[in-house]
Amino acid sequence: MRFYCQKGDGQVDKAITHTLLRLIAETESPSDAELDELVFQAAAERYIPKDPSLPDWGVNDKNVWLVPPMAEPGHICISNENTYEFAAEEGGQPQQFTYEQFQVALAHWRKFLQIVALEGKESLVGMRFETVFPD
């Protein structure tokens, strides 16, 4: 299974793929619901970090910040410490995503996992499941 974002010209969008989509794909249930709730709280301006010097969430070296200074207002910030260009600790550029972008990507992944559970991976070989990623 590959979860990736494709640009209009057909090229893979590495920034989205290596940060947001990898984070979502590697955050398994029930942890995905916990992350979804944290993002919901941040969007509602009710989230207060336990330790502002640390990321608010993380899985497999993908880190999430929900409040400034790392996250821009209205955004979540995601780094991938295994990919130099998107690593916060290595001088790379963590990526900013709107709450809507996070929700669309998470909903698409969950829908895909439901289809896999119903039909099995083997019956889906070669098929593509696409959605439109908001700007």
Side-chain angles (χ1 to χ4, degrees), residues 14-117:
K14 289 175 49 177
I16 295 171
T17 299
H18 289 288
T19 56
L20 177 63
L21 302 186
R22 289 249 172 102
L23 171 80
I24 289 172
E26 293 176 13
T27 303
E28 297 181 19
S29 184
S31 293
D32 65 341
E34 294 170 20
L35 176 57
D36 195 14
E37 178 61 22
L38 283 176
V39 173
F40 175 80
Q41 292 297 324
E45 298 181 0
R46 292 184 291 201
Y47 177 74
I48 300 172
K50 292 177 183 169
D51 186 344
S53 67
L54 297 174
D56 299 299
W57 182 265
V59 63
N60 296 336
D61 292 328
K62 285 28 154 230
N63 294 315
V64 176
W65 293 267
L66 299 169
V67 296
M70 286 297 285
E72 297 173 2
H75 291 75
I76 65 173
C77 178
I78 303 171
S79 70
N80 181 340
E81 300 306 318
N82 295 316
T83 305
Y84 174 79
E85 61 192 302
F86 308 117
E89 294 179 10
E90 299 293 328
Q93 183 62 47
Q95 300 297 295
Q96 303 283 331
F97 299 97
T98 66
Y99 301 128
E100 179 189 15
Q101 290 170 326
F102 171 80
Q103 294 297 332
V104 166
L106 181 60
H108 183 65
W109 181 246
R110 286 176 173 168
K111 182 178 178 181
F112 172 73
L113 291 179
Q114 287 176 338
I115 293 168
V116 169

